[in-house]
Amino acid sequence: MFIHIGDDNVIRSEEVVAIIDHQIVASSTINEQMLFNQRKNKKVLDPSEEGTKSIVITKDYIYYSPLSVLTLKKRASMISTISKLEDYSESFEE
């Protein structure tokens, strides 16, 4: 399944490693260093921090998202719920 994380970015839900609040990341020197290193390796997409509420870390890239951690969590939970639903559609034979 896929998660829309804002700013025309859609990622595969199974690739998400972490979703972190931007304020927490900004207050940690270790996280800042990690982001700096990933920027040098060109692994950060949409690096403009204006309007950023959360950071989504995937296996390959880091995305800045204008959506809150709670909103992204709800979207991921909806995907989890949908994938667990039974398929009750009827198959018609003609």
Side-chain angles (χ1 to χ4, degrees):
M1 298 297 246
F2 295 92
I3 302 172
H4 179 260
I5 60 170
D7 288 338
D8 297 329
N9 290 314
V10 179
I11 58 174
R12 295 179 64 90
S13 59
E14 55 267 2
E15 291 182 5
V16 175
V17 174
I19 301 172
I20 305 171
D21 188 282
H22 183 258
Q23 291 178 347
I24 293 172
V25 172
S27 67
S28 168
T29 56
I30 293 172
N31 288 331
E32 284 293 325
Q33 185 65 38
M34 183 239 348
L35 286 172
F36 176 76
N37 290 333
Q38 292 301 335
R39 277 192 196 104
K40 283 193 325 190
N41 295 330
K42 300 186 190 276
K43 297 288 184 177
V44 177
L45 301 178
D46 295 332
S48 100
E49 295 188 38
E50 250 181 69
T52 299
K53 292 184 181 177
S54 61
I55 295 176
V56 180
I57 301 172
T58 66
K59 295 175 185 176
D60 298 319
Y61 295 101
I62 296 175
Y63 299 86
Y64 285 87
S65 175
L67 303 175
S68 70
V69 172
L70 183 60
T71 300
L72 293 171
K73 181 181 174 188
K74 285 179 184 177
R75 289 183 180 190
S77 294
M78 286 182 355
I79 290 169
S80 175
T81 302
I82 290 170
S83 66
K84 292 178 184 175
L85 293 176
E86 294 291 327
D87 183 9
Y88 292 109
S89 61
E90 297 177 5
S91 54
F92 296 99
E93 293 182 24
E94 292 186 37

